[in-house]
Structures are given as structure tokens and as C-alpha cells.
Amino acid sequence: MPALPLGKLAILAVKQVAKPFAKGLKNGAKNSEIFKNYFILPVAQGVHWVDVKVKTRLMGANNAQVYKLNEKLAVEYGSEFISEFFLYALGTALVLYEYNRSANKEERKERKIQNNAERMENELQKLQKRFARVSVYNRGAGAEIRSLQDKLVICTVRWRPSRNSF
């Protein structure tokens, strides 16, 4: 039975919780004068400027004049941009987290396989050395056995029981 993708479910839950948070961020940004004047309006004007420049260049006009947005429209545009940026940044962070987690899992799996291969190679080398020692011992024991057999044959040939000995 495959394991439940709890990590992916957690990511989905975080994204669902982030949507109301982004909406609250958007509403808070509209209501805070300091945040609005020093962050939202400059961001909105900058995004608007880039948007107009890109669109005019794509249409073939190079020297288009970019007019500033009025404050109400800039606040709406900037707070919407910040809200969307927050969601995309969170989504990107979660995708990167999942990618790193998956890559680390693969790396651990490869390391385990490599360690098993090294362990098996070391065990094989130990067995080869042991086999070589046993082979040397067996050759020596075989020579000793042959020598004893030769002595036994010589002794048997020298000693011939007489027919009357029993």
C-alpha cells in the first residue's frame, strides 16, 4: 500500500490558508497610510510603468509617455499585486521545498545503494583472501596427505605378513 502524500496535502492546506491571509494583507495595505505611501504606491507605479513600456514596445512604439496612476487605482493595483506576489512566492517556496525534499530522498537512496555496494565489495575481498588462505592450507595438507600415503605404501610393501602369523 503506497504511503499517503502527507507533504503534498500539507502544501495544499498551506496554500488554502494563505489565500485569506493574502486578502487580509491586501485590505491591511489599503488601510495603513505608511504601508500605502511607502510601499504600495511605489510598487504600483513601478509595475504600471513596466507594464506600459512592455506593451508599447510590443506594439512598435518606443517613446511612449507613461502617466502615473491616480491614488485610488494605484492602491487597488498595488495591493492586488502584493497579494498575488505573496501567493506566487509562497507557491514557489513550497514547490522548491518539495523539490529539495524529493532530491534529498533520492540522494539518500543512492547513498544507501552505494554503501551496500561498498559493503558487499569489502565482504567479497575478505572472502577472496580467506579462500586464498584456505587454498594454501589445503595445498599444504594435500601434499602432507600424499606424503603420508606414500609412506603407507612403502610400509605396506616392506611388511608382508607371513601365512603362518595368524
Side-chain angles (χ1 to χ4, degrees):
M1 181 174 167
L4 290 174
L6 295 178
K8 292 179 182 174
L9 289 174
I11 289 171
L12 185 60
V14 167
K15 285 173 78 174
Q16 290 301 317
V17 169
K19 286 180 184 178
F21 183 75
K23 189 174 182 179
L25 179 67
K26 179 179 170 181
N27 291 335
K30 285 181 186 179
N31 297 332
S32 171
E33 287 297 318
I34 294 173
F35 194 59
K36 179 170 55 173
N37 291 332
Y38 293 105
F39 190 67
I40 292 179
L41 292 176
V43 166
Q45 296 297 348
V47 170
H48 172 68
W49 185 85
V50 169
D51 186 37
V52 170
K53 285 292 187 180
V54 168
K55 284 180 182 178
T56 54
R57 287 220 174 123
L58 286 175
M59 289 191 273
N62 289 331
N63 296 332
Q65 180 72 26
V66 179
Y67 296 102
K68 289 191 173 195
L69 295 171
N70 66 34
E71 186 175 332
K72 185 177 179 184
L73 192 57
V75 168
E76 185 66 34
Y77 194 55
S79 60
E80 187 67 32
F81 178 80
I82 289 170
S83 172
E84 291 297 319
F85 179 78
F86 173 74
L87 289 175
Y88 283 117
L90 181 65
T92 301
L94 292 175
V95 165
L96 289 175
Y97 169 76
E98 183 65 27
Y99 173 78
N100 284 336
R101 190 175 71 84
S102 176
N104 288 340
K105 185 177 180 182
E106 283 296 319
E107 187 177 306
R108 283 192 305 268
K109 185 191 246 183
E110 289 175 8
R111 200 173 351 176
K112 184 177 179 182
I113 290 170
Q114 182 66 29
N115 288 341
N116 283 343
E118 288 174 1
R119 184 183 52 78
M120 290 170 63
E121 183 68 30
N122 290 338
E123 191 67 30
L124 179 63
Q125 288 175 356
K126 286 179 187 176
L127 288 173
Q128 286 173 338
K129 288 177 183 176
R130 186 173 181 190
F131 180 75
R133 285 194 308 264
V134 168
S135 295
V136 168
Y137 176 76
N138 284 344
R139 272 188 245 123
E144 186 69 27
I145 289 172
R146 281 190 295 281
S147 171
L148 289 173
Q149 284 175 341
D150 291 344
K151 288 180 184 177
L152 181 63
V153 167
I154 290 171
C155 288
T156 309
V157 170
R158 284 186 188 164
W159 181 76
R160 293 202 176 195
S162 63
R163 294 182 186 230
N164 297 333
S165 61
F166 290 108

